[in-house]
Amino acid sequence: EDQVTQSPEALRLQEGESSSLNCSYTVSGLRGLFWYRQDPGKGPEFLFTLYSAGEEKEKERLKATLTKKESFLHITAPKPEDSATYLCAVPSGGSNYKLTFGKGTLLTVNP
Amino acid sequence: NAGVTQTPKFQVLKTGQSMTLQCAQDMNHNSMYWYRQDPGMGLRLIYYSASEGTTDKGEVPNGYNVSRLNKREFSLRLESAAPSQTSVYFCASSDVGGARLFFGEGSRLTVL
């Protein structure tokens, strides 16, 4: 069974304190790994797609990396506005239409 | 620049009542999806429509029906609501399968 596990469940950082979020997956034939950001009361918002091991994508203070078993979302010098839940997802069940989401990491950045 | 629009945003039902959640997208996307999000469970796919005229079951389809009314609109119907269907429902769309999803703001449903 395809699975996506995110850790930690929650992370509290001080402004400027860099850290990483983890997304480990077990899926046959990875067809992409997606990262989304979700603010309270809102729908998820797309951040990155990674397709192959070794690939990296960056956006402002965020950098996503991919290995054969996991992906990391690195947050450099975070600001309070980076506080959100970060979700990762992979296509599963042999279908590009069926995304399996992890349960997310709730990131809180204190000023 | 509306993107994906869901209605209603909030709804309270009694057990056994029926209702329809409406979703419309203005991005000319081919594919549309309905997810539910529950605490501790993450986002789970209920149904999806790969293209106009087609619908398929996702991970948790029981108790739900869907209609792809046209390319823009995809509705989710609860025929006889149960407390277990209390959740936040998200509609999403994508250009094709495997592409990034664009989500609506969600519909919060409570079944008493």
Side-chain angles (χ1 to χ4, degrees):
Chain A
E1 182 182 332
D2 299 334
Q3 285 192 331
V4 177
T5 303
Q6 293 188 245
S7 61
E9 290 185 10
L11 180 63
R12 189 177 295 271
L13 300 174
Q14 288 298 123
E15 185 172 2
E17 179 186 2
S18 302
S19 188
S20 297
L21 313 181
N22 178 264
C23 171
S24 63
Y25 60 90
T26 54
V27 63
S28 301
L30 184 68
R31 295 181 302 281
L33 184 141
F34 298 82
W35 281 99
Y36 289 84
R37 168 193 170 126
Q38 186 174 23
D39 292 306
K42 303 288 187 181
E45 182 180 343
F46 172 80
L47 291 173
F48 304 109
T49 310
L50 303 166
Y51 288 102
S52 55
E55 188 175 0
E56 298 183 352
K57 295 261 180 87
E58 286 190 63
K59 179 180 179 181
E60 297 181 355
R61 295 174 293 282
L62 300 177
K63 183 169 78 172
T65 62
L66 182 65
T67 72
K68 289 185 177 179
K69 294 183 178 180
E70 57 193 349
S71 177
F72 293 93
L73 186 64
H74 307 277
I75 304 174
T76 301
K79 297 182 178 182
E81 52 261 43
D82 294 322
S83 297
T85 296
Y86 291 86
L87 305 169
C88 70
V90 298
S92 62
S95 169
N96 283 340
Y97 297 97
K98 296 181 179 180
L99 281 187
T100 294
F101 279 83
K103 296 179 181 179
T105 293
L106 174 60
L107 174 66
T108 304
V109 182
N110 295 317
Chain B
N1 228 12
V4 178
T5 303
Q6 295 181 230
T7 56
K9 286 185 168 46
F10 299 93
Q11 184 73 47
V12 179
L13 292 177
K14 294 181 180 179
T15 297
Q17 287 185 317
S18 62
M19 76 157 299
T20 300
L21 299 177
Q22 306 284 357
C23 175
Q25 51 91 8
D26 63 1
M27 294 170 282
N28 201 37
H29 284 166
N30 292 302
S31 306
M32 298 185 73
Y33 311 79
W34 277 105
Y35 284 87
R36 61 179 288 175
Q37 187 173 39
D38 303 291
M41 297 295 294
L43 278 159
R44 292 180 292 170
L45 181 65
I46 305 171
Y47 270 95
Y48 67 97
S49 171
S51 60
E52 187 178 356
T54 69
T55 61
D56 283 288
K57 295 178 181 179
E59 181 184 355
V60 287
N62 290 345
Y64 304 95
N65 287 302
V66 290
S67 296
R68 184 75 183 266
L69 304 170
N70 48 55
K71 191 172 185 179
R72 289 187 64 247
E73 299 173 287
F74 189 39
S75 63
L76 178 72
R77 182 160 178 85
L78 287 70
E79 290 290 353
S80 179
S84 61
Q85 294 178 305
T86 293
S87 188
V88 181
Y89 292 85
F90 288 99
C91 178
S93 70
S94 68
D95 189 22
V96 294
R100 59 179 285 188
L101 297 179
F102 292 79
F103 285 86
E105 299 237 316
S107 297
R108 184 175 296 274
L109 174 66
T110 301
V111 183
L112 302 175

